[in-house]
Amino acid sequence: MERKKFGIGLLGTGWMGRVHSRGYESAREMFWPKSRWDVELRNVCGSSPGKGRDFAERFGYKASSADWHDLLADGDVAVFDNVTPDPLHVEPTIAAARAGKHIVCEKPLAVKASDAKRMLNEAERAGVKHLCCFSYRFMPAVRLAHNILRDGGLGKIYHFAGTYYQDQGSFEETPAEQVWYVAGSGVDQGIGTHLIDMSRFLLGDDITSVFGMKKTYNTRRDSRGGVRDIDATEGFFTMLEYSGGCTGMMQCLGVANGKQSEFSVEIFGSRGSLRWDMADPNILWMYQPETLTKNVRGWVKINCTEPDHPFMDIWWPKGHVLGWEHGHVNMLAHFLDCLAEGRDVSPLGATFKDGYEVASIIETINRSAEEGRKLPVSY
Ligand SMILES: NC(=O)c1ccc[n+]([C@@H]2O[C@H](COP(=O)([O-])OP(=O)(O)OC[C@H]3O[C@@H](n4cnc5c(N)ncnc54)[C@H](O)[C@@H]3O)[C@@H](O)[C@H]2O)c1
C-alpha cells in the first residue's frame, strides 16, 4: 500500500511541544499497518536558535530555526503544528493557512472569539484541514461515553455536570510566573475550554444560554522580586442551557487545594447516567437500571481496555491501561488519517469551527459574569 508522507513543522518547544512530537512518532508506530500515511518530524522552531537545535536533536527533527516563517517556507512541511502560548496562536496560524499548510493548533484556538473567527475563515478560504486540540475526545472511555449517548443509551438527557480542578495557585505565596494560568490566560481559557468542548462533544448539542460567575482570589502575587496586581481568573463557574433541552453546571478552579488535575463529568438521563474522571481515565462508570437484574442494581465500572473498545484495537492487550498522553496520540493519528484519506476532521475531531464556537461561549460566560445576568449564546 502506498503511504502519503506528511512533514511536520512544530512551533514551540515547551512541554506540549514534547507531547506532540512523541505523539506523531507514537501514532506512526502504533497505527501502522492500518494507517495509509507516514509522518516525518521535519522542522522545529524554538524561541532561540539553541532551543530549536536542542529540541531537534532530542526528538529527531531534520531542521530547526528560531523564526516561525522558516516553517512556512519549508516545502517539506505539510502540517504546521502550533504549540506556543495562547496569544501566539493567531498570527502564525493565519500565515500557515495562507501558505497552504494543514494546521494543528492547541486550545484555546484564540483568547478572543474575533481572532478565532479570523483563523477559521482563513483556514476555510485556503481549503486546508484544521484541528483544534481538544484531545480528551480521543480517550477511549470518553469516546465510549460519546457512542453510548449518540445511540440514545441514556434516554432523554437532563443534566451535564462538569468540574475541572487544579491547585497550582492555592498558595498565595507562589509567584505569578509559577502559576500557569496567571502567567497565561486564566483558568477559563486553560481548562474551562476543555469542559465546554467536552459537553458539546458528548451531548451533541449546542449551548444556547449561559449564566456565569468568575473570581480572582489572589489579586496580588510576588513577581520578579516585587509584587504585582493579578486579574487572571482563578475560579470560573457557569450554568448552561443546551439546544436539546438539558441543563448544565460547570466549575473550574485553579485553587482547589489538593486536586492536582481532576477533570470529571457526569451526565444524567431518563434511562441512566454516566460518569468519567481523568484521575482514573480508563474507567467509565455507567448506571443503566433496566439492563440489570433488580437485586444487583448499581453502577457498572467499565474498564475501557477491551479490544472492541474505542482505539483499543491498536493498543495493548486488555487490562493494560492507557493514560492522558494517549488521547493526543489518537487525536494526531485521526488528523493524519483525515489528510491521507480526504476525510472530514469533524465531528469526531474538533476543528477551528469548534475552537471558534468555544471561544464565543467562553466570551459570553465572561460577559454574563460581568453583567450578572443570563445571556444567550450566538456565533
Ligand atoms: N490539550 C491539552 O491538554 C493542553 C495541555 C496543556 C497546554 N495546552 C496548550 O498548549 C499550548 C502550549 O502550552 P505549553 O504549556 O507547552 O507552553 P510552554 O510555555 O511550556 O511552551 C511554549 C513554548 O513556546 C515557545 N515560544 C514562545 N514564543 C515563541 C516564538 N515567538 N517563537 C518560537 N517559540 C516560541 C516558548 O519558548 C516555549 O518553549 C498552550 O496554548 C496551552 O493552552 C494544551
Side-chain angles (χ1 to χ4, degrees), residues 312-362:
M312 291 313 293
D313 55 332
I314 64 110
W315 287 102
W316 316 125
K318 67 177 176 179
H320 295 79
V321 294
L322 304 192
W324 174 87
E325 181 178 353
H326 297 90
H328 287 268
V329 178
N330 296 336
M331 174 186 72
L332 296 172
H334 169 74
F335 188 66
L336 293 164
D337 279 344
C338 292
L339 291 187
E341 297 167 26
R343 286 197 277 122
D344 287 341
V345 174
S346 68
L348 295 176
T351 64
F352 283 11
K353 181 169 183 291
D354 297 291
Y356 160 61
E357 291 176 355
V358 169
S360 303
I361 293 163
I362 294 281

Coordinates of all heavy atoms in Angstrom, one line a residue, residues 312-362:
M312 N -8.8 0.6 21.1 CA -8.0 -0.4 21.8 C -7.6 -1.5 20.8 O -6.8 -2.3 21.2 CB -8.8 -1.0 23.0 CG -9.0 0.0 24.1 SD -7.5 0.9 24.6 CE -6.5 -0.4 25.3
D313 N -8.1 -1.5 19.6 CA -7.6 -2.5 18.6 C -6.1 -2.2 18.3 O -5.4 -3.2 17.9 CB -8.5 -2.5 17.4 CG -8.6 -1.1 16.7 OD1 -8.5 -0.1 17.4 OD2 -8.7 -1.1 15.5
I314 N -5.7 -1.0 18.5 CA -4.3 -0.7 18.1 C -3.4 -0.6 19.3 O -2.2 -0.5 19.2 CB -4.1 0.6 17.2 CG1 -4.6 1.8 18.0 CG2 -4.9 0.5 15.9 CD1 -3.4 2.6 18.4
W315 N -4.0 -0.7 20.5 CA -3.1 -0.5 21.7 C -2.8 -1.9 22.4 O -2.8 -2.9 21.7 CB -3.7 0.5 22.7 CG -3.5 1.9 22.2 CD1 -4.5 2.7 21.6 CD2 -2.3 2.6 22.1 NE1 -3.9 3.9 21.2 CE2 -2.6 3.9 21.5 CE3 -1.0 2.4 22.6 CZ2 -1.6 4.9 21.3 CZ3 0.0 3.4 22.4 CH2 -0.4 4.6 21.7
W316 N -2.7 -2.0 23.7 CA -2.2 -3.1 24.4 C -3.3 -4.2 24.7 O -4.5 -3.8 24.6 CB -1.5 -2.7 25.7 CG -0.7 -1.5 25.5 CD1 -0.7 -0.3 26.2 CD2 0.4 -1.3 24.6 NE1 0.2 0.6 25.8 CE2 0.9 0.0 24.8 CE3 1.0 -2.1 23.6 CZ2 2.0 0.6 24.0 CZ3 2.0 -1.5 22.8 CH2 2.5 -0.2 23.1
P317 N -2.9 -5.4 25.1 CA -3.9 -6.4 25.5 C -4.8 -5.9 26.6 O -4.3 -5.0 27.4 CB -3.1 -7.6 25.9 CG -1.8 -7.4 25.3 CD -1.5 -5.9 25.1
K318 N -6.0 -6.4 26.7 CA -7.0 -5.9 27.7 C -6.4 -5.8 29.1 O -5.6 -6.7 29.5 CB -8.3 -6.6 27.7 CG -8.2 -8.0 28.1 CD -9.7 -8.6 28.1 CE -9.7 -10.0 28.4 NZ -11.1 -10.5 28.3
G319 N -6.8 -4.8 29.8 CA -6.3 -4.6 31.2 C -5.0 -3.8 31.3 O -4.7 -3.4 32.4
H320 N -4.4 -3.6 30.2 CA -3.1 -2.8 30.2 C -3.4 -1.4 29.8 O -3.6 -1.1 28.6 CB -2.1 -3.5 29.2 CG -1.7 -4.8 29.7 ND1 -2.5 -5.9 29.5 CD2 -0.6 -5.2 30.5 CE1 -1.9 -7.0 30.1 NE2 -0.8 -6.6 30.7
V321 N -3.5 -0.5 30.8 CA -4.2 0.7 30.7 C -3.4 1.8 29.9 O -2.2 1.8 29.8 CB -4.5 1.3 32.1 CG1 -5.5 0.4 32.8 CG2 -3.2 1.4 33.0
L322 N -4.2 2.8 29.4 CA -3.6 3.9 28.7 C -3.7 5.1 29.7 O -4.3 5.1 30.7 CB -4.4 4.3 27.5 CG -4.6 3.2 26.4 CD1 -5.1 3.8 25.1 CD2 -3.3 2.4 26.1
G323 N -3.0 6.2 29.3 CA -3.0 7.4 30.1 C -3.4 8.7 29.3 O -3.8 8.6 28.1
W324 N -3.2 9.8 29.9 CA -3.5 11.1 29.3 C -2.9 11.3 27.9 O -3.5 11.8 27.0 CB -3.1 12.2 30.3 CG -3.2 13.6 29.8 CD1 -4.3 14.4 29.9 CD2 -2.2 14.4 29.1 NE1 -4.1 15.6 29.3 CE2 -2.8 15.6 28.9 CE3 -0.9 14.2 28.8 CZ2 -2.1 16.7 28.2 CZ3 -0.2 15.2 28.1 CH2 -0.8 16.4 27.9
E325 N -1.6 10.9 27.8 CA -0.8 11.2 26.6 C -1.5 10.5 25.4 O -1.4 11.0 24.3 CB 0.6 10.6 26.9 CG 1.5 10.8 25.7 CD 2.9 10.3 26.0 OE1 3.2 9.9 27.2 OE2 3.8 10.2 25.1
H326 N -2.1 9.3 25.6 CA -2.7 8.6 24.5 C -3.8 9.3 23.8 O -4.1 9.0 22.7 CB -3.1 7.2 25.0 CG -1.9 6.4 25.5 ND1 -1.5 6.4 26.8 CD2 -1.1 5.6 24.8 CE1 -0.5 5.6 27.0 NE2 -0.2 5.1 25.8
G327 N -4.5 10.2 24.5 CA -5.5 11.0 23.9 C -4.9 11.8 22.8 O -5.5 11.9 21.7
H328 N -3.7 12.4 23.0 CA -3.1 13.2 22.0 C -2.6 12.3 20.8 O -2.7 12.7 19.6 CB -1.9 13.9 22.6 CG -2.3 15.1 23.4 ND1 -2.4 16.3 22.9 CD2 -2.6 15.1 24.7 CE1 -2.8 17.1 23.9 NE2 -2.9 16.4 25.0
V329 N -2.1 11.1 21.1 CA -1.6 10.2 20.1 C -2.8 9.8 19.1 O -2.7 9.9 17.9 CB -1.0 8.9 20.6 CG1 -0.6 7.9 19.5 CG2 0.2 9.2 21.6
N330 N -3.9 9.4 19.8 CA -5.1 9.0 19.0 C -5.6 10.2 18.2 O -6.1 10.0 17.0 CB -6.2 8.5 19.9 CG -5.8 7.2 20.6 OD1 -4.9 6.5 20.2 ND2 -6.4 7.0 21.8
M331 N -5.6 11.4 18.7 CA -6.1 12.6 18.1 C -5.2 12.9 16.8 O -5.7 13.2 15.7 CB -6.0 13.8 19.0 CG -6.4 15.1 18.4 SD -6.2 16.5 19.6 CE -4.4 16.6 19.7
L332 N -3.9 12.9 17.0 CA -3.0 13.2 15.9 C -3.1 12.1 14.8 O -3.1 12.5 13.6 CB -1.5 13.3 16.4 CG -1.3 14.5 17.3 CD1 0.1 14.4 17.9 CD2 -1.5 15.8 16.7
A333 N -3.3 10.9 15.2 CA -3.5 9.8 14.2 C -4.8 10.1 13.4 O -4.8 9.9 12.2 CB -3.5 8.4 14.9
H334 N -5.8 10.5 14.1 CA -7.1 10.8 13.4 C -6.9 11.9 12.4 O -7.4 11.8 11.2 CB -8.1 11.3 14.4 CG -9.4 11.8 13.8 ND1 -10.3 11.0 13.2 CD2 -9.8 13.1 13.7 CE1 -11.3 11.8 12.7 NE2 -11.0 13.1 13.0
F335 N -6.1 12.9 12.7 CA -5.9 14.1 11.8 C -5.1 13.6 10.6 O -5.5 13.9 9.4 CB -5.1 15.2 12.5 CG -5.0 16.4 11.7 CD1 -6.1 17.2 11.4 CD2 -3.8 16.9 11.3 CE1 -6.0 18.4 10.7 CE2 -3.7 18.0 10.5 CZ -4.8 18.8 10.2
L336 N -4.1 12.7 10.8 CA -3.3 12.2 9.7 C -4.2 11.3 8.8 O -4.0 11.3 7.6 CB -2.0 11.5 10.2 CG -1.1 12.5 10.8 CD1 0.0 11.8 11.7 CD2 -0.4 13.4 9.8
D337 N -5.0 10.5 9.4 CA -6.0 9.7 8.7 C -6.8 10.5 7.8 O -7.0 10.2 6.6 CB -7.0 8.9 9.6 CG -6.4 7.7 10.2 OD1 -5.4 7.2 9.7 OD2 -7.0 7.2 11.2
C338 N -7.3 11.6 8.3 CA -8.2 12.5 7.5 C -7.4 13.2 6.4 O -8.0 13.3 5.3 CB -8.8 13.6 8.4 SG -10.0 13.0 9.6
L339 N -6.2 13.5 6.6 CA -5.4 14.1 5.5 C -5.1 13.0 4.4 O -5.3 13.3 3.2 CB -4.0 14.5 6.0 CG -3.9 15.7 7.0 CD1 -2.4 16.1 7.2 CD2 -4.6 16.9 6.4
A340 N -4.8 11.8 4.8 CA -4.4 10.8 3.8 C -5.6 10.3 3.1 O -5.5 9.9 1.9 CB -3.7 9.6 4.6
E341 N -6.8 10.3 3.7 CA -8.0 9.6 3.1 C -9.0 10.7 2.7 O -10.1 10.3 2.2 CB -8.6 8.7 4.1 CG -7.7 7.5 4.4 CD -8.1 6.7 5.6 OE1 -9.3 6.7 5.9 OE2 -7.3 6.1 6.3
G342 N -8.6 12.0 2.8 CA -9.5 13.0 2.4 C -10.8 13.1 3.2 O -11.9 13.5 2.6
R343 N -10.8 12.7 4.4 CA -12.0 12.6 5.3 C -12.1 13.9 6.1 O -11.1 14.6 6.3 CB -11.9 11.4 6.2 CG -12.2 10.1 5.5 CD -12.6 9.1 6.5 NE -11.4 8.4 7.2 CZ -11.2 8.4 8.5 NH1 -12.0 9.0 9.3 NH2 -10.1 7.8 9.0
D344 N -13.3 14.2 6.6 CA -13.5 15.4 7.4 C -13.0 15.1 8.8 O -13.1 14.1 9.4 CB -15.0 15.7 7.6 CG -15.6 16.3 6.3 OD1 -14.8 16.8 5.5 OD2 -16.8 16.3 6.1
V345 N -12.4 16.2 9.4 CA -11.8 16.1 10.8 C -13.0 16.0 11.8 O -12.9 15.3 12.8 CB -10.9 17.3 11.0 CG1 -10.4 17.3 12.5 CG2 -9.7 17.3 10.1
S346 N -14.0 16.8 11.5 CA -15.2 16.7 12.4 C -16.1 15.6 11.9 O -16.0 15.2 10.7 CB -15.9 18.1 12.3 OG -16.5 18.3 11.1
P347 N -17.1 15.1 12.6 CA -17.4 15.5 14.0 C -16.6 14.9 15.1 O -16.7 15.3 16.3 CB -18.9 15.1 14.1 CG -19.0 13.8 13.3 CD -18.0 14.0 12.2
L348 N -15.7 13.9 14.8 CA -15.0 13.3 15.9 C -13.9 14.1 16.4 O -13.6 14.2 17.6 CB -14.5 11.9 15.5 CG -15.7 10.9 15.2 CD1 -15.1 9.6 14.7 CD2 -16.5 10.7 16.4
G349 N -13.2 14.8 15.5 CA -12.2 15.7 15.9 C -12.7 17.1 16.0 O -13.7 17.5 15.3
A350 N -12.1 18.0 16.8 CA -12.5 19.4 16.9 C -11.8 20.2 15.8 O -10.6 20.1 15.7 CB -12.2 19.9 18.3
T351 N -12.5 21.0 15.1 CA -11.9 21.8 14.1 C -11.8 23.3 14.6 O -12.2 23.6 15.7 CB -12.7 21.8 12.8 OG1 -14.0 22.4 13.1 CG2 -13.0 20.4 12.2
F352 N -11.4 24.2 13.7 CA -11.3 25.6 14.1 C -12.7 26.1 14.3 O -12.9 27.1 15.0 CB -10.6 26.4 13.0 CG -9.1 26.3 13.0 CD1 -8.5 25.3 13.8 CD2 -8.3 27.1 12.2 CE1 -7.1 25.1 13.8 CE2 -6.9 27.0 12.3 CZ -6.3 26.0 13.0
K353 N -13.7 25.5 13.7 CA -15.1 25.9 13.9 C -15.5 25.7 15.4 O -16.0 26.5 16.0 CB -16.1 25.1 13.0 CG -17.5 25.5 13.1 CD -18.4 24.9 12.0 CE -19.8 25.4 12.0 NZ -20.5 24.8 13.2
D354 N -15.1 24.5 15.9 CA -15.3 24.2 17.3 C -14.5 25.2 18.2 O -15.0 25.7 19.2 CB -14.9 22.8 17.6 CG -15.8 21.7 16.9 OD1 -16.9 21.6 17.2 OD2 -15.2 21.1 16.0
G355 N -13.3 25.4 17.8 CA -12.4 26.3 18.5 C -13.0 27.7 18.6 O -13.0 28.4 19.6
Y356 N -13.6 28.2 17.5 CA -14.2 29.5 17.4 C -15.5 29.5 18.3 O -15.7 30.4 19.1 CB -14.6 29.9 16.0 CG -15.6 30.9 15.9 CD1 -15.4 32.2 16.4 CD2 -16.9 30.7 15.3 CE1 -16.4 33.2 16.4 CE2 -17.8 31.6 15.2 CZ -17.6 32.9 15.8 OH -18.6 33.8 15.7
E357 N -16.3 28.5 18.2 CA -17.6 28.4 19.0 C -17.3 28.4 20.5 O -18.0 29.0 21.3 CB -18.5 27.3 18.5 CG -19.0 27.6 17.0 CD -19.8 26.5 16.4 OE1 -19.9 25.4 16.9 OE2 -20.3 26.8 15.3
V358 N -16.3 27.6 20.8 CA -15.9 27.5 22.2 C -15.4 28.9 22.7 O -15.8 29.4 23.8 CB -14.8 26.4 22.5 CG1 -14.2 26.5 23.9 CG2 -15.4 25.0 22.3
A359 N -14.6 29.6 21.9 CA -14.2 30.9 22.3 C -15.3 31.9 22.4 O -15.4 32.7 23.4 CB -13.2 31.5 21.2
S360 N -16.4 31.8 21.6 CA -17.5 32.6 21.7 C -18.3 32.3 23.0 O -18.8 33.3 23.7 CB -18.5 32.4 20.5 OG -17.8 32.6 19.3
I361 N -18.4 31.0 23.3 CA -19.1 30.7 24.6 C -18.4 31.2 25.8 O -19.0 31.8 26.7 CB -19.3 29.1 24.6 CG1 -20.2 28.7 23.5 CG2 -19.8 28.7 26.0 CD1 -20.2 27.2 23.2
I362 N -17.0 31.0 25.8 CA -16.2 31.5 27.0 C -16.4 33.0 27.1 O -16.6 33.5 28.2 CB -14.8 31.1 26.8 CG1 -14.6 29.6 26.8 CG2 -13.9 31.8 27.8 CD1 -14.6 29.0 28.2

